[in-house]
Amino acid sequence: KGNGSDPLTELPLPPSYTEWSADLGEPDAIVTLPGNEKLQAIKATGAEAYRYRFVQTPNKTNVWLKAAMIRPTNYRAVHHYLVWLGRVGQGGIDGLSTYEPSIAGFVPGMKPARFPSDAGVMLTSSNWLTFNLHYTPYGQATNDQPTLALWYHRTPPAKRRQEAGPANIFGLNIPPYAGDHPMETEWTASSNVRIHSLNPHMHVRGKRISYEAIYPNGSREILLSVPDYDFNWQTGYHFVTPKEIPSGTRIRISGAFDNSAQNLSNPDPSATVYWGDQSWSEMFVGFFDFTN
């Protein structure tokens, strides 16, 4: 910049992620893991497999969720959290774990997210919640306590919040030393929908990713372009005005991976990389939230 003051020092500090969003008020319920599962032990080195922990919902009657947020106590160790309705476990294929639409999640760099204001998720009095937890050791034995906060609508909302996650699982095959290996997947709207947020997900070889709407009349529109994807800052992108998508629109997610030695996050440029749970494998998912 040259001479003069540093403008970054004049910016306000970001909100603390150790507190729930103040405008939501106090949570209607706090959910933690029971008994000796409350603190999750994480080893010092090696790999940690996905963990599935099951908790019954705290509500005694059927409720509509207005918001659900989950946070760790040990941010450094968390690869991701996902919270699903029901008891959902391993899909049975090594490295291809089960994924379900989530009511809450956390990844590195993500700030807590909420549902659209006019939408919710039904939570019955007999529901179970699955905590899908994935940790990454960082050189010392440690632990973490995931905490889930729930807020309820006082009256049933007008719309149901939903989540889609189009992914390219079996087509993911990145050659050694490839510096710009392309990848895409897509999802087609079977009814008129309103998209509220976009949440792209890859691992450390992720290079770029974008979402494009291909409308029934053949016109196209870029909804999001992330030209320099960073696994450490997996930002959720929220529309100021929700995006109206007519039935028959295709949402195409396109991107690329950098498996070269120039990618300083690359654990092994000589490897052929496939889909897998761990960060040295890869994923290609275009998550988004919508209502209809």
Side-chain angles (χ1 to χ4, degrees), residues 243-274:
K243 191 68 181 175
E244 303 285 348
I245 299 294
S247 179
T249 300
R250 292 148 55 206
I251 304 299
R252 178 171 293 170
I253 296 94
S254 304
F257 294 92
D258 183 357
N259 194 25
S260 73
Q262 282 70 44
N263 176 2
L264 300 183
S265 299
N266 192 348
D268 183 4
S270 68
T272 300
V273 185
Y274 302 99

Side-chain angles (χ1 to χ4, degrees), residues 33-40 52-55 133 144 146:
L33 298 176
N36 59 7
E37 293 184 339
K38 182 170 289 191
L39 277 181
Q40 293 290 302
Y52 300 88
R53 303 292 185 262
F54 309 112
V55 187
L133 310 174
D144 172 65

